[in-house]
Amino acid sequence: MRVAIIGAGMAGLSCAQKLRGAGIEPVLFDKGRGPGGRMATRRAEVEGETLHFDHGTQFFSASNSAFVAQVDSWQRAGVADIWEAAGAHAFVGTPSMNAPLKAMAATSDVRWAQRVEVIRRVDNKWHLSGEGLDHTCDVVVCAIPVEQAAVLLTDAAPDFARFAGAVDSDPCWAAMAVFSETVELSDVTRGRDAVAWASRNSSKPGREGRETWVIHGGERWSREHLEFSPEEVGTMLVDAFFAETGIAPCETVHLTAHRWRYSTPQPGKTPASLWDAQTRLGVAGDWLIGPNVEGAWLSGQSVAAQITSA
């Protein structure tokens, strides 16, 4: 049985992992150049030093027993560790947030920089096409962000597309900063209005180099400033960071910002995954079960279980 998974984020790689355990070797296609997504890490050259910023997902937790076991496995492999500043049960990838994804991708057949633009059903098979891409398979899994899934599934699975189209996602602006002085704050802090979260990224286990900060704007603030430029937003978030924490401002040595237009999906009461046994098409993602790393992993496991059962 030939299985194709569109999207090599946490949901897609989790699905592939479980399928391999059942003796099925799927092929994954991802438009990116490597693992990341919202578990991405941004690099920057600052005064001759390469620094890293986890500008998306800040940490993840584990409550489901199966995911707890997975996180334990990542810890033993050295690609995850506890970040006590965010809580006793807060984990991060080491040495960067996307380290668990890199480990999972290393054992999978992932075709990077391959954007699937159309999926269609012909002669009881699925055909995936895009620029330089023509692939045929028996089963296809869509494991991409909800806004992209709603578009890709429009013709192939209109009911699933409408389901995805009903999900809204909150935006988030992220500022990445290096200051001229040590910031006298705890490693994790929250603001009162514009700033939803600020953390000393360099305090996470496995990080090296000078002090770095990641500042996330709140949902309402990010939405109000959605179309501002990164330069404007970076300055505004840093100003708000100092104002809302009450500490004296200091000069920024490095400052940039990234807009997560679709940062946090807000699912309703939904199943962990979607599966059409007749056409053999599945859908997975954190937008189905919960907007976090655990939700994405569980969703991938869920659709894989339905495939193997079928």
Side-chain angles (χ1 to χ4, degrees):
M1 181 166 58
R2 291 172 297 176
V3 179
I5 301 173
I6 305 169
M10 182 56 72
L13 288 168
S14 172
C15 176
Q17 180 185 58
K18 190 171 182 68
L19 288 176
R20 286 198 312 275
I24 300 170
E25 294 291 338
V27 177
L28 297 93
F29 298 92
D30 195 284
K31 64 184 180 64
R33 291 177 293 178
R38 279 171 286 169
M39 292 180 72
T41 297
R42 175 77 65 86
R43 292 188 303 175
E45 294 293 328
V46 181
E47 298 179 340
E49 184 178 1
T50 301
L51 302 179
H52 299 81
F53 302 84
D54 299 326
H55 60 301
T57 301
Q58 294 297 290
F59 67 90
F60 56 89
S61 57
S63 57
N64 177 276
S65 59
F67 188 59
V68 169
Q70 176 63 79
V71 175
D72 286 344
S73 175
W74 288 337
Q75 286 185 276
R76 291 194 299 273
V79 296
D81 204 351
I82 293 176
W83 183 30
E84 295 182 354
H89 303 288
F91 297 89
V92 296
T94 54
S96 59
M97 187 58 74
N98 62 0
L101 292 174
K102 287 183 176 181
M104 297 169 78
T107 58
S108 301
D109 183 359
V110 184
R111 316 287 173 85
W112 300 110
Q114 293 277 284
R115 181 191 294 271
V116 177
E117 298 174 349
V118 178
I119 58 173
R120 65 188 189 279
R121 188 103 173 126
V122 180
D123 297 331
N124 207 34
K125 299 285 185 181
W126 284 107
H127 293 262
L128 284 58
S129 59
E131 185 177 352
L133 169 65
D134 186 9
H135 184 81
T136 302
C137 58
D138 304 298
V139 179
V140 65
V141 175
C142 180
I144 56 180
V146 61
E147 292 78 14
Q148 298 171 20
V151 174
L152 185 63
L153 297 173
T154 298
D155 295 327
D159 288 344
F160 288 173
R162 284 191 291 271
F163 194 88
V167 176
D168 186 33
S169 294
D170 294 334
C172 177
W173 271 107
M176 292 154 272
V178 177
F179 299 109
S180 58
E181 306 170 22
T182 298
V183 177
E184 299 299 333
L185 282 174
S186 59
D187 292 336
V188 171
T189 186
R190 289 173 172 81
R192 301 188 304 272
D193 183 23
V195 176
W197 164 278
S199 65
R200 198 185 324 266
N201 194 85
S202 50
S203 72
K204 295 178 179 179
R207 277 63 173 174
E208 297 179 353
R210 65 190 299 173
E211 182 176 285
T212 56
W213 280 84
V214 171
I215 306 166
H216 277 183
E219 180 274 324
R220 182 185 60 80
W221 189 93
S222 294
R223 194 177 295 277
E224 290 175 352
H225 298 83
L226 193 62
E227 303 303 332
F228 281 51
S229 72
E231 293 75 18
E232 291 174 306
V233 167
T235 299
M236 295 169 74
L237 276 177
V238 164
D239 290 345
F241 168 66
F242 288 119
E244 294 181 22
T245 56
I247 62 174
C250 57
E251 180 185 353
T252 54
V253 176
H254 170 81
L255 178 62
T256 187
H258 177 84
R259 178 180 61 189
W260 297 99
R261 185 180 288 274
Y262 306 115
S263 170
T264 310
Q266 301 297 330
K269 187 175 179 58
T270 62
S273 62
L274 304 177
W275 171 246
D276 185 332
Q278 183 175 0
T279 64
R280 299 193 296 276
L281 183 146
V283 182
D286 66 345
W287 61 271
L288 282 160
I289 184 172
N292 49 48
V293 174
E294 182 177 52
W297 187 87
L298 289 172
S299 183
Q301 297 280 298
S302 172
V303 74
Q306 295 183 83
I307 292 170
T308 56
S309 296

